[in-house]
Amino acid sequence: GPVSSNLTCISTGSPATIVTWMRDGQQLSLGDTYIPIQTVTDRRLSTYNNILVIKAASSDIFGHTYSCTVINAFGTVSKALVAYTPPTVTISPHETPTAGDSFSLTCTVTLAAGDYIVGDSGSPVQWKGPDGASIKSTLQVMTNTYISTLEFNPVRTTHGGEYICQATSTAGTIMDAANIIIQIPPPTLTMSRDPDASTTLRHGDSLTLTCTIQLDEAVDSDVVVTGRLQGQAGMSSNVVARSGNVYEIVLYIPSLRATPSETCICTADVGPGPGVEFIQSSELQTNSLNIIVELSVDISVSYTPPPGFTPGPNEYRAASGPVR
């Protein structure tokens, strides 16, 4: 497919210079394929940057001889130019790190022999984050190779999105992009009851169940926590944020019914908030609490002795009291 390459010719002269471009001895027809750009770099010395942007197939750019001819009232000067193969820019790795982990992105820029980086010498390799803002990175320079690294320590859910690495050489501007999806670590669920487990629950008593959802500290507020807590035919799905990354679901049961055993289950899920599609949901988490409700019944038993029988003081008595 089409690629882009830049040829740069610097000229100095007053009055302003007129620039023509040649390829293999033939003057180029300027337009969509060959785009001339002239900028002033020093008005006092009348110095100009003359750039020819070529957008064509590689075979139509490389392997040809180009020249820049500069003309003004005092003469004509020509200079031969070389169209270098554009640099390669590669981001690695393309992974889904988990919030809370350490993670790095590396951008490797490789230049053709004789080519060199142009532009900001302090930041020859430029990064842009999901918000489009520039990001600082560490840089390692070797022969014809630049290695730029972004460090995330730790990764947070707000770090998800598209990262772009860009480099500009005399042959053109090349970039690569990586879409980083942040995996949310599963939440921790704990269950509690009021009254607590030391209290025997009886038929008709009230009970408050609380499910606490604890998120990893690297999970930011751009997520949505949902869940439900159910038991004894009651259910609550109102998740309330308490403090930091702690959430609660509360279920109040006003009147317990007697059962041998009742399992109350809490289920929670953490997923992306509106417009935060790059965050993957954590796996559905569940926790349960076993609730035993005892039944107390008062039973009174009366006894009529046979005729002529006179019981002693311990022969019989009316029985009453709780039977469990």
Side-chain angles (χ1 to χ4, degrees), residues 126-180:
Q126 297 179 344
W127 285 93
K128 289 187 177 180
D131 59 356
S134 297
I135 308 174
K136 292 183 178 180
S137 62
T138 60
L139 183 66
Q140 180 182 2
V141 181
M142 297 178 288
T143 304
N144 296 330
T145 302
Y146 294 78
I147 299 176
S148 179
T149 304
L150 288 181
E151 300 284 350
F152 302 89
N153 189 20
V155 174
R156 306 192 66 88
T157 53
T158 48
H159 288 150
E162 185 180 60
Y163 289 81
I164 296 174
C165 174
Q166 176 177 296
T168 300
S169 75
T170 59
T173 299
I174 303 295
M175 66 181 64
D176 190 24
N179 190 43
I180 304 303

Side-chain angles (χ1 to χ4, degrees), residues 79-80 83 116 127 177 195 223 227 256 266 281 290 301 310 316:
K79 180 176 178 60
Y116 56 92
W127 285 93
V223 300
L256 293 166
C266 178
S281 299
N290 219 32
V301 179
T310 302
Y316 75 90

